[in-house]
């Protein structure tokens, strides 16, 4: 039976699968240097939190697989793993539904003024109902920025609720949006100018870092709403604050911010029309179950010598370790 070490336990579905087919060590530690002796006994590592670099990998000649319960592999030295013949298992697509639903939840919370109404009602202000801050979403336009897995699902959920969908994604053919009955745009500014609600679903890349600055926020419709379930660094928070204070935007919601954990001293929290959740969009029971299962399945498959498809470094299968 192979030995699999985990930096921290996975959700129960994945743990059950692992325990059936492997000896399991839970390190409860994200510092791989500190748990090196245990890691040296392991055939596989599931890294929830923490980093693994070339130095550690080279000290663990038994290590045959490294797994990430997600898609981000910035915590793994990918070049070293590939050169050492170690597949890096990922769990793609397992959280798309949860994130899309969260974007919808934030949008309704914001556009129905739920957050302010909850606290005002609890404080005895029944009259908050007469603020008429809420709108209906039906027949309003939604801009999906980043039309990938999560963007597709979010668009479908909003379309089912009567919104008109516009998209901006220079890497997805226009025909794809048209096939879904949506309106694709070839520039971000055109898309922003057409939308009442804009929902961000791009990865953080050099091109998307700071993608929503003063200029882009000015291109949005006056009175529009911005929803960010992508990455905090995509939005310039000072520019966002300015556009909320000036009334350019009617509101903004974020599951992600530049500082995480979120900084309670952020000026954005002084705005009644800004709401935030703690990077929890993907953290549903269903998503955790799917992610933990796929991560465990991939880890065990690689340990059986199978060429598991969901790896971040598929070229690893050309390594002499895999050609034997
Ligand atoms: P995906 O790769 O399926 O889709 C991303 C899309 O963005 C792709 O279609 C890509 O072409 C597009 N894109 C890339 N650069 C762009 C640009 N400059 N302008 C417009 N579009 C661009 O990824 P996904 O699964 O849909 O996830 C999207 C992002 O959501 C992730 O990269 C991650 O940052 C974020 N995310 C957040 C949470 C959360 O908990 N809030 C959870 C999962 C993912």
């Amino acid at each position: 039976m192979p030995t699999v070490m985990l930096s921290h336990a996975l959700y129960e579905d994945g743990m059950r699968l692992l325990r059936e087919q492997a000896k399991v060590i839970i390190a409860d530690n994200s510092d791989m240097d500190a748990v090196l002796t245990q890691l040296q006994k392991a055939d596989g590592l599931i890294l929830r939190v923490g980093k693994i670099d070339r130095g550690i990998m080279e000290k663990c000649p038994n290590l045959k697989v490294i797994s990430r319960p997600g898609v981000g592999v910035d915590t793994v030295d990918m070049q070293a793993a590939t050169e050492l013949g170690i597949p890096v298992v990922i769990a793609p697509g397992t959280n798309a539904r949860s994130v899309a639903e969260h974007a919808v939840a934030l949008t309704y919370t914001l556009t129905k003024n739920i957050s302010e109404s909850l606290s005002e009602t609890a404080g005895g202000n029944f009259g908050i109902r007469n603020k008429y801050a809420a709108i209906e979403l039906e027949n309003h336009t939604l801009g999906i920025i980043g039309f990938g897995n999560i963007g597709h699902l979010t668009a479908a959920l909003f379309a089912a609720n009567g919104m008109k969908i516009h998209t901006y994604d220079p890497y997805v053919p226009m025909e794809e949006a048209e096939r879904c009955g949506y309106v694709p745009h070839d520039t971000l500014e055109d898309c922003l100018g057409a939308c009442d609600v804009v929902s961000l679903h791009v990865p953080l890349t050099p091109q998307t870092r700071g993608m929503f600055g003063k200029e882009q926020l000015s291109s949005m419709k006056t009175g529009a709403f911005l929803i960010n379930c992508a990455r905090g660094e995509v939005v310039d928070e000072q520019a966002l604050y300015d556009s909320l204070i000036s009334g350019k935007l009617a509101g903004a919601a974020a599951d992600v911010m530049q500082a995480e954990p979120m900084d309670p001293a952020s000026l954005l929290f002084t705005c009644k029309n800004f709401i935030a959740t703690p990077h929890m969009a993907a953290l549903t029971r269903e998503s955790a179950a799917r992610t933990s299962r796929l991560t465990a399945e991939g880890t065990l498959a690689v340990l059986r010598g199978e060429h598991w498809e969901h790896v971040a470094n598929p070229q690893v299968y050309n390594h002499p370790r895999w050609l034997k």
Side-chain angles (χ1 to χ4, degrees), residues 202-218:
V202 290
L204 181 62
T205 65
Q207 289 73 37
T208 62
R209 187 178 289 277
M211 183 182 186
F212 274 74
K214 191 175 172 195
E215 205 180 306
Q216 292 70 27
L217 293 166
S218 309

Side-chain angles (χ1 to χ4, degrees), residues 95 99 145-151 168-172 201-205 207-208 211 229-231 255-256 279-282:
N95 57 23
V99 180
I145 312 301
F147 193 42
N149 279 318
I150 299 172
Y168 171 70
D169 189 326
Y171 307 105
V172 172
H201 301 290
V202 290
L204 181 62
T205 65
Q207 289 73 37
T208 62
M211 183 182 186
C229 284
R231 283 290 180 264
D255 184 50
V256 286
H279 201 151
M280 62 182 281

Side-chain angles (χ1 to χ4, degrees), residues 65-89:
V65 58
I66 296 171
S67 302
R68 283 278 306 119
V71 288
V73 289
D74 45 310
T75 51
V76 179
D77 183 334
M78 291 301 298
Q79 196 179 340
T82 308
E83 283 171 17
L84 293 166
I86 303 174
V88 177
V89 166

